[in-house]
Amino acid sequence: MLPPLRIGLAGLGTVGAAVLRLLERQAEVLTRRTGRKILVVAVSARDAAKQRGVDLSRFKWFDDPADLAKYGEIDLFVELIGGADGVALACVEAALGAGKSCVTANKALLAKHGMRLARLAEEKAVALSFEASVAGGIPIVKTLREGLAGNSIERVYGILNGTCNYILSRMETEGLSFEQCLSEAQKLGYAEADPTFDIGGFDTAHKLAILTSLAFGTVIDASAIAIEGIESISLADLEAASELGYRVKLLGVARRTPDGIEQRVHPTMVPKSSAIAQVMGVTNAVTIDADAVHELTLVGPGAGGEATASAIVADIADIARGVRSPPFGLPVATLSEAENAPMQLHRGGYYVRLSVFDRPGAAAAIATRFAERDISLESIVQRRRPGAGDETPGAVPVILITYATHEKIIREALDAVVDDGFLAAKPQFIRIERE
Amino acid sequence: MLPPLRIGLAGLGTVGAAVLRLLERQAEVLTRRTGRKILVVAVSARDAAKQRGVDLSRFKWFDDPADLAKYGEIDLFVELIGGADGVALACVEAALGAGKSCVTANKALLAKHGMRLARLAEEKAVALSFEASVAGGIPIVKTLREGLAGNSIERVYGILNGTCNYILSRMETEGLSFEQCLSEAQKLGYAEADPTFDIGGFDTAHKLAILTSLAFGTVIDASAIAIEGIESISLADLEAASELGYRVKLLGVARRTPDGIEQRVHPTMVPKSSAIAQVMGVTNAVTIDADAVHELTLVGPGAGGEATASAIVADIADIARGVRSPPFGLPVATLSEAENAPMQLHRGGYYVRLSVFDRPGAAAAIATRFAERDISLESIVQRRRPGAGDETPGAVPVILITYATHEKIIREALDAVVDDGFLAAKPQFIRIERE
């Protein structure tokens, strides 16, 4: 039998405590799986006295996680501190530098410093694993890095933020406003007091940056991601989407296009019949389009202590078994600098909702602005909608669904419609993503 | 750089040819992923002259795959011959015995001889990998063996046979009979001329036997699986199911129960809102309930040359990277002999369709037979259904949905109903599986 794998764990919040419990509960079977004992020997957290439902007396305590990272009696450092820089970065760098493998759930850290840390791990021939950093308990990192090793990937997209999906699901099923659902999510602990990071799409973007690199073998470039949050989505949009056979989801999408790799995070209309449209509440889902496997979808919990711990323990077990491969599947030195496809060149269908002053010729004028630019319309719906509530007096909603066109063209058409002076409010548009 | 991984591939049907093409197409990236070249050096098939769209002149040809299995110039043997015994078994045993790793897509072989072959692989410290044997391109073996290594699994279930799911999907969406859809599936190449193996549930059972072992750490016992096919499912069942909010799928289900491990393959009613109910056509899906991750669902192609090749190439890449672990996740010697929960003790809800002679008191008498046995009914529907067509003259369908009860009890209740003489035909019942 191999010598035990000795772990130092920094960060004892919900996830850290769940990792300790899971390693203990599964100790026997993990030893059989990996051929060795997996032992947590030392921990670090901000407050030693806090009650966590776990007996910490067995572990050596470090006040400073940086000391734990370099501690000579550990083989593996588990970073659950959080934050893109500062302590987390210093600890992971120190641990890798000292020749210790690292497991982290820190998507912000990876989105910003992933390449540098992966290069360090490769130099030291240790593992840097981060299954828990994307989509919680869903083994999407392993699937992209190993399970689809023989595929050339065309697109990866998914629901990567449970808070947003919870809010959009509740709005649709209960007919509540965005503000009502956000406040509800905050009460339930699904959203932070300052929810910007989630609802603004930034959390999704961090995760997407990691998926893009894994899927396309490219250097992480989070700055290339076009990001829009869900703040602008109204009940009127969800109702109109539903009538037209669509549902609105906040998606992260990375796609290989003739113009380069497109990375974007935005509210997206998906056909109700699609697998991704069925995913409600805090659940996450990722779909991969690839040349050999065609389409693969994984659906599961995107957050929560136990689900995240499941991913962390799987990483630990792989490291215990001696599995070593480049953290991003390919050696960092061979990752390509992706050509970034600009959003203006994005091609797809669009949903457009206009609040139009109820004057003769308005709808015709609008249709003309689209026709001039060769934008074909799949549908156009104009009517007085009793009770919609958010229309300016004297204005009626006009909903259009376009066939595939370019972002640049649709924006020009909307600018022209605005200039015509028929609109009572800023036009709303939502991109459509098809299977 | 490591020396090349040299492969011998036996069986050049659709899948074998797709593996050759995929390895060639992805050669450069696979080398970067694994740190070594992956080279097919020799092949074997029944007919050397057959056109396969692949240039075989580069490979050494073996008329007898058993010679290829022992060939000194290969490190890895890929078995795509098929069949539970005979040539496939002899070849895999020979290759493992000669210290070569093996990759196979052969579920029948594994369901019957998996333990013996895994033990041999462990003794020789080589890999025996079989991702492609279950659910085609879905990386379910890797997910169970590695991705959920820290979980205790409660249930694994799924749509594991594309032929059956195609037939059931077509029956429901097009209103066609079982026979019509089967004949259509045969024309499209989704079903064999003798479809018994697929529609009788036997193919699903082989795959389930493998999943059960991976999920519960038990010795494979395919003989313990209760198997029912989809032959008895009529359009009337699908229509009644749909009205009640259910859809019928052929599922393989393995579940940990107080009475032991339950393994069963049968047509199953699933709530329309469930993830598994959305899976239509030849697509496969597997859902895992586990303590840490709660619920994880994977959806993807269950068959097809390219999708199956995707799984085989992923196995090859893992072996090239030097990953070695027990084929069934745990050493065979430590797998437990499962206590098999008998079907009579199965507990769940049931759908029952009775063809009842239209006499006063019939429905009341039937309800009494259920009430006597404390079977609670979620719903009972009796009506004359114009156009249903398959009822005996003078008989009307009565549909019941029960709350959870035991298989033994429901069978006793149905026997009593039959004895009462109200039925014009054998009662139909379908088990309900909830999320």
Side-chain angles (χ1 to χ4, degrees), chain A residues 144-383:
Chain A
L144 283 169
R145 198 170 51 186
E146 303 169 18
L148 300 182
N151 284 260
S152 174
I153 293 171
E154 292 302 315
R155 180 172 60 161
V156 55
Y157 64 104
I159 296 170
L160 301 172
N161 182 280
T163 309
C164 289
N165 205 51
Y166 175 83
I167 291 172
L168 292 172
S169 299
R170 288 288 291 177
M171 285 174 70
E172 187 195 330
T173 57
E174 306 298 321
L176 299 172
S177 72
F178 173 79
E179 290 72 20
Q180 283 172 306
C181 295
L182 171 59
S183 142
E184 193 185 79
Q186 285 169 323
K187 275 185 206 124
L188 289 165
Y190 294 156
E192 306 287 331
D194 176 0
T196 316
F197 191 65
D198 288 318
I199 64 170
F202 305 103
D203 173 75
T204 299
H206 283 157
K207 294 164 179 168
L208 182 67
I210 297 167
L211 291 184
T212 305
S213 174
L214 290 165
F216 301 109
T218 50
V219 169
I220 285 186
D221 185 1
S223 70
I225 304 177
I227 307 175
E228 289 171 25
I230 62 167
E231 308 90 334
S232 73
I233 301 298
S234 71
L235 202 48
D237 292 320
L238 300 192
E239 285 169 356
S242 182
E243 280 175 35
L244 294 161
Y246 293 91
R247 198 162 269 161
V248 180
K249 298 291 184 188
L250 183 77
L251 295 191
V253 184
R255 192 168 65 153
R256 197 190 292 278
T257 79
D259 306 303
I261 303 289
E262 191 179 78
Q263 292 187 81
R264 48 196 167 84
V265 173
H266 52 70
T268 313
M269 305 246 295
V270 291
K272 268 190 197 170
S273 60
S274 66
I276 215 110
Q278 317 303 326
V279 178
M280 303 298 270
V282 294
T283 303
N284 279 200
V286 186
T287 295
I288 300 141
D289 296 340
D291 60 347
V293 82
H294 303 300
E295 185 177 295
L296 182 69
T297 299
L298 285 72
V299 184
E306 291 268 307
T308 308
S310 165
I312 290 166
V313 171
D315 277 346
I316 292 172
D318 276 350
I319 293 168
R321 290 191 299 122
V323 176
R324 295 289 177 279
S325 46
F328 286 88
L330 299 165
V332 172
T334 79
L335 295 176
S336 60
E337 294 279 351
E339 182 129 6
N340 296 314
M343 259 331 261
Q344 289 291 320
L345 295 183
H346 169 70
R347 192 173 164 78
Y350 290 81
Y351 154 98
V352 175
R353 180 170 56 84
L354 305 172
S355 183
V356 182
F357 288 120
D358 198 6
R359 288 189 213 134
I366 291 164
T368 302
R369 291 308 186 193
F370 283 77
E372 284 168 358
R373 288 164 182 83
D374 287 332
I375 303 172
S376 300
L377 298 178
E378 186 183 301
S379 64
I380 174 162
V381 180
Q382 173 187 347
R383 79 178 144 229

Side-chain angles (χ1 to χ4, degrees), chain A residues 22 25-26 32-33 142 145-147 150-151 291-293 295-299 301 306-307 310 314 321 325 331 334, chain B residues 22 25-26 32-33 142 145-147 150-151 291-293 295-299 301 307 310 314 321 325 331 334:
Chain A
L22 202 51
R25 197 160 80 209
Q26 299 289 333
R32 282 199 284 141
R33 280 194 187 281
K142 182 177 276 287
R145 198 170 51 186
E146 303 169 18
N151 284 260
D291 60 347
V293 82
E295 185 177 295
L296 182 69
T297 299
L298 285 72
V299 184
E306 291 268 307
S310 165
R321 290 191 299 122
S325 46
T334 79
Chain B
L22 202 51
R25 198 161 77 210
Q26 299 289 332
R32 282 198 285 143
R33 279 191 188 284
K142 181 177 277 287
R145 197 170 52 186
E146 303 168 20
N151 284 260
D291 60 348
V293 82
E295 184 177 296
L296 182 69
T297 299
L298 285 71
V299 184
S310 165
R321 289 192 299 123
S325 46
T334 79

